[in-house]
């Protein structure tokens, strides 16, 4: 039986994207998943004229941009499994085109967190932190009390780093689901 690599990749509004190469990284030491998608430049140029979506040879021109949602399913013989879910962080318009992507943790880069708590649970802290994002909290987050916390102009990533380093909790994402708890 022969095995054929297959993919089902969606970037923004574009489905069934066929890349030259996909590299994704999930690391137990980091809660930020990353992915690089390499695409042929000829068919993936940014079109400066939004009224035209075809190049001179009639091929479709994709208009990828930072913040586009990315879903990557890879496998063999059409049996694809979800490998990455996140957002385009950077579009490198070289030859070939490279899209650098980050998982859902990237949404916390934009969160500026200013809160003071006398008493709070980790779950309540995370609920407050993820307001306005697409991040879902795991049902498995234990009821861990924290006392005397103060965050001033901290990014969401800095809050997670605090929980990981100072409180010694495990912090990781399973696609859009965030877990913080004991190791």
């Amino acid at each position: 039986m022969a095995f054929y690599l297959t993919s089902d990749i969606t970037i923004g509004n574009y489905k069934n994207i066929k890349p030259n190469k996909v590299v994704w990284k999930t690391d137990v030491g980091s809660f930020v998943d990353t992915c690089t998608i390499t695409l042929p430049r000829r068919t993936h140029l940014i079109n400066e004229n939004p009224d035209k979506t075809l190049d001179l040879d009639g091929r479709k021109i994709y208009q990828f941009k930072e913040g586009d949602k990315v879903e990557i399913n890879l496998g063999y013989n059409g049996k694809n499994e979800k490998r990455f879910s996140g957002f385009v962080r950077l579009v490198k318009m070289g030859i070939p085109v490279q899209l650098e992507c980050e998982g859902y943790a990237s949404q916390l880069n934009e969160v500026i967190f200013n809160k003071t708590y006398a008493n709070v649970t980790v779950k309540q802290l995370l609920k407050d932190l993820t307001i306005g994002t697409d991040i879902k909290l795991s049902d498995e987050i234990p009821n861990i009390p924290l006392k005397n916390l103060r965050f001033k102009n901290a990014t969401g990533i800095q809050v997670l780093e605090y929980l990981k380093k100072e409180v010694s909790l495990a912090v990781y994402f399973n696609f859009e689901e965030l877990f913080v708890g004991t190791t």
Side-chain angles (χ1 to χ4, degrees), residues 30-163:
S30 171
F31 50 81
V32 180
D33 297 339
T34 60
C35 177
T36 302
I37 304 168
T38 305
L39 304 166
R41 180 177 168 89
R42 186 170 180 97
T43 58
H44 293 17
L45 291 170
I46 293 176
N47 185 354
E48 306 223 351
N49 184 350
D51 297 331
K52 296 183 180 179
T53 57
L54 301 177
D55 70 7
L56 294 176
D57 295 327
R59 289 183 295 251
K60 192 165 194 137
I61 298 173
Y62 300 100
Q63 299 178 22
F64 303 123
K65 61 189 178 309
E66 293 174 16
D68 280 350
K69 188 163 178 15
V70 176
E71 292 287 332
I72 297 177
N73 297 287
L74 302 170
Y76 295 96
N77 299 345
K79 295 180 181 173
N80 299 328
E81 292 183 29
K82 186 191 254 187
R83 301 293 180 180
F84 180 83
S85 184
F87 304 90
V88 175
R89 182 178 57 88
L90 181 64
V91 178
K92 290 184 176 177
M93 291 303 295
I95 298 175
V97 173
Q98 285 190 329
L99 304 178
E100 291 184 4
C101 308
E102 286 185 347
Y104 276 79
S106 66
Q107 289 189 327
L108 294 176
N109 283 322
E110 305 301 318
V111 172
I112 301 299
F113 199 64
N114 291 298
K115 287 259 189 194
T116 301
Y117 300 97
N119 293 297
V120 69
T121 63
V122 169
K123 191 155 195 164
Q124 184 58 53
L125 171 67
L126 295 173
K127 282 180 185 176
D128 294 344
L129 182 66
T130 57
I131 290 172
T133 70
D134 299 318
I135 297 168
K136 297 176 182 156
L137 299 182
S138 170
D139 293 333
E140 305 297 318
I141 296 173
N143 190 21
I144 301 170
L146 300 172
K147 292 183 182 223
N148 301 323
L149 288 180
R150 181 174 184 243
F151 297 101
K152 184 175 181 186
N153 295 326
T155 67
I157 295 293
Q158 289 171 323
V159 173
L160 293 184
E161 287 287 348
Y162 170 83
L163 293 171

Side-chain angles (χ1 to χ4, degrees), residues 1-6 75-79:
M1 177 176 188
F3 290 100
Y4 297 99
L5 287 171
T6 56
Y76 295 96
N77 299 345
K79 295 180 181 173

